[in-house]
């Protein structure tokens, strides 16, 4: 019984070692030295990339239509933070036991600008 387990263990170890020792990588062809372009929309060595493409299409502003809603809502969020959230933190820090204000909350509140 012990001999059978040892033989099975050696066979399994040999199979794992043989499987991990291959140098062939998926997606890479050993025979062809073909260039694979980068995934970005511009190649830094291509001086005509901006001439023959639409830079506005790849810009972050035109990334999503709701991005403009974020630009509009940003001042509203800051007003909420300064008008409601920060005073609530200050009030909660005075009554830490009743409000559940922890040392982690204190650290986060102290790191704000």
């Amino acid at each position: 019984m012990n001999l059978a387990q040892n033989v099975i263990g050696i066979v399994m170890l040999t199979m794992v070692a043989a499987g991990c020792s291959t140098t062939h990588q998926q997606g890479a062809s050993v025979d062809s030295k073909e260039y694979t372009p980068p995934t970005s929309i511009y190649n830094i060595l291509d001086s005509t990339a901006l001439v023959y493409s639409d830079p506005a299409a790849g810009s972050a502003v035109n990334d999503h239509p709701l991005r403009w809603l974020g630009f509009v809502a940003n001042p509203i969020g800051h007003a909420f933070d300064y008008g409601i959230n920060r005073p609530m933190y200050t009030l909660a820090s005075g009554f830490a036991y009743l409000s559940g204000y922890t040392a982690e909350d204190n650290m986060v509140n102290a790191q704000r600008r």
Side-chain angles (χ1 to χ4, degrees):
M1 181 74 172
N2 196 13
L3 179 65
Q5 289 177 346
N6 286 341
V7 170
I8 291 173
I10 291 172
V11 169
M12 289 177 66
L13 185 63
T14 304
M15 288 174 58
V16 169
C20 293
S21 67
T22 181
T23 58
H24 181 71
Q25 296 178 357
Q26 184 179 2
S29 178
V30 177
D31 297 333
S32 68
K33 303 290 183 185
E34 190 172 309
Y35 171 73
T36 306
T39 56
S40 68
I41 59 173
Y42 301 123
N43 186 352
I44 58 171
L45 298 176
D46 187 7
S47 61
T48 61
L50 294 174
V51 175
Y52 296 110
S53 63
D54 184 13
S59 67
V61 173
N62 295 322
D63 194 26
H64 196 275
L66 292 178
R67 184 168 176 85
W68 290 103
L69 181 64
F71 287 133
V72 173
N74 185 34
I76 297 168
H78 277 283
F80 177 81
D81 184 38
Y82 282 102
I84 298 172
N85 195 27
R86 290 181 187 222
M88 291 294 283
Y89 263 91
T90 305
L91 182 65
S93 67
F95 304 102
Y97 180 74
L98 295 174
S99 64
Y101 190 82
T102 63
E104 184 178 353
D105 294 330
N106 191 27
M107 179 189 67
V108 171
N109 195 24
Q111 290 178 351
R112 289 184 173 171
R113 294 180 189 148

